[in-house]
Amino acid sequence: MPMTIDNLLRDHKQMIEEALERLLSGGSTPLHLAMRSAVLSGGKRYRPLLMIAAGEYFHVPLDRILPFACGLELIHNYSLVHDDLPCMDDDDMRRGRPTVHRAYGEDIALLTGDALLSLAFEVMADASGGPEFLPQKVRTIQEISRFSGAKGMIGGQFLDIRYIPEEATEELLLELMAKKTGGLITAAVRVGGILGDAPEAGLRALTTYGENIGLAFQTRDDILDYRQDESKDRPFRPNAAHFFGLEQAKTRLNQYIDRAQIVLCDAGIQSESLVYHANCLRLPEAEKRDE
Ligand code: GRG
């Protein structure tokens, strides 16, 4: 029976879940329980799936890519734990459950994020592959460090917490989105390409694809949050639907997705999975009609 894209993604997701469970299986202290609860709580695993999709196109074996896919997902989960803290977004619920600081306390939540970040780098550094793999491994870890740190996700979060709607410019908002959300997403596809020795042109195309998917991801999230955010009793957070208006934000979302797909096509990268991951970001029909 031919493998459908849904079956392929289900298999990859299961493989990621099992690997994450293995990585988090030791220990029974509240810190260990909180780490498990933070990660093994039903995330979509969008970033590791993207990495695997990009890697597969360039013939990277799954066992080679898995430590980096898990590392990136651990970094994403640490960022969610810290982002939910009272000093950041102050959220009570995540993935339909109490946030880590709500369930375990702020002190444990802080340490949970720290420990997940350290574990991510341990897992990636431990990736096996022999001496000839070392330069590629170092380059991959460099990429992930850069896109998750002050030049990437954390830099974007910094712009987010300092955001003043009345003073915001389009350039600032796009930089914030590209770094905060686009950082890890761009890293995911680039790492797939790097592990597969993608040629420079291929890597450039993957980067532009990732950048557009990153902007699409955050724009979509902002559109879905828009009405809800307005009713929240808290300082107004950066939101593309608020900045551009709901209609223009919807147009932009489609443009980002289209651009991501066109750049792949222009580079001759015929990956059904990468096209699928971009299309996943289109709005649900009900949201399109509700205007
Ligand atoms: C505070 C360290 C620190 C970083 C904050 C990524 C980030 C930077 C904050 C997360 C909050 C947020 C709204 C980010 C925008 C990206 C986003 C919508 C994240 C949620 O990602 P999903 O939908 O979540 O992939 P799941 O639950 O599926 O993993």
Side-chain angles (χ1 to χ4, degrees):
M1 205 171 64
M3 189 70 145
T4 64
I5 183 100
D6 288 326
N7 286 342
L8 186 73
L9 290 178
R10 197 200 48 221
D11 286 359
H12 289 167
K13 187 156 185 267
Q14 192 181 333
M15 201 179 65
I16 295 162
E17 293 300 334
E18 286 169 3
L20 290 170
E21 272 170 36
R22 276 196 304 278
L23 290 169
L24 293 160
S25 63
S28 57
T29 67
L31 174 63
H32 291 102
L33 297 181
M35 288 167 73
R36 282 206 278 280
S37 142
V39 179
L40 307 173
S41 52
K44 293 183 292 296
R45 316 305 185 203
Y46 188 70
R47 296 152 191 80
L49 286 171
L50 263 184
M51 190 190 289
I52 291 173
E56 264 210 323
Y57 181 79
F58 290 100
H59 312 292
V60 186
L62 284 172
D63 58 344
R64 170 139 295 185
I65 207 160
L66 197 56
F68 304 99
C70 288
L72 196 70
E73 182 64 15
L74 290 170
I75 293 173
H76 165 61
N77 282 267
Y78 117 75
S79 81
L80 297 180
V81 174
H82 281 188
D83 188 61
D84 289 336
L85 285 170
C87 63
M88 292 281 159
D89 231 14
D90 195 9
D91 272 313
D92 294 337
M93 299 294 286
R94 161 86 51 198
R95 297 173 177 159
R97 300 188 191 186
T99 46
V100 176
H101 69 276
R102 279 279 161 199
Y104 293 88
E106 236 177 287
D107 48 359
I108 299 287
L110 186 71
L111 298 182
T112 298
D114 294 341
L116 292 176
L117 177 60
S118 300
L119 180 61
F121 284 95
E122 181 186 335
V123 171
M124 295 190 287
D126 280 350
S128 55
E132 70 287 354
F133 179 47
L134 261 183
Q136 218 178 25
K137 179 159 105 174
V138 169
R139 184 168 175 208
T140 300
I141 296 174
Q142 277 170 342
E143 285 281 321
I144 292 182
S145 315
R146 189 158 56 89
F147 279 101
S148 57
K151 292 181 190 141
M153 181 183 73
I154 296 293
Q157 182 71 359
F158 169 74
L159 296 176
D160 182 304
I161 62 175
R162 288 293 176 91
Y163 185 85
I164 301 169
E166 298 74 36
E167 293 173 12
T169 59
E170 176 173 335
E171 195 189 0
L172 175 76
L173 181 66
L174 294 179
E175 183 187 349
L176 181 163
M177 294 163 68
K179 287 181 172 170
K180 183 180 86 164
T181 310
L184 294 192
I185 288 177
T186 307
V189 282
R190 280 181 58 84
V191 163
I194 289 166
L195 291 175
D197 284 323
E200 264 316 306
L203 205 52
R204 269 199 305 278
L206 285 179
T207 307
T208 311
Y209 166 89
E211 289 166 352
N212 278 285
I213 293 300
L215 289 171
F217 196 99
Q218 187 60 56
T219 304
R220 178 183 202 272
D221 200 57
D222 285 351
I223 291 170
L224 297 176
D225 269 359
Y226 180 58
R227 292 184 191 96
Q228 213 185 329
D229 264 4
E230 279 190 319
S231 63
K232 274 186 199 158
D233 179 24
R234 60 165 135 174
F236 196 77
R237 304 306 323 135
N239 182 302
H242 181 264
F243 186 91
F244 294 112
L246 193 55
E247 282 322 299
Q248 213 205 114
K250 288 179 179 177
T251 306
R252 281 178 168 261
L253 169 60
N254 283 327
Q255 284 170 345
Y256 295 137
I257 296 170
D258 292 344
R259 267 184 226 145
Q261 295 177 338
I262 288 166
V263 78
L264 290 186
C265 196
D266 287 350
I269 298 177
Q270 293 174 344
S271 160
E272 198 187 342
S273 300
L274 290 175
V275 169
Y276 180 96
H277 287 306
N279 277 332
C280 279
L281 300 178
R282 296 205 191 270
L283 284 176
E285 283 305 315
E287 187 61 32
K288 282 189 207 156
R289 282 195 303 274
D290 182 20
E291 282 162 8

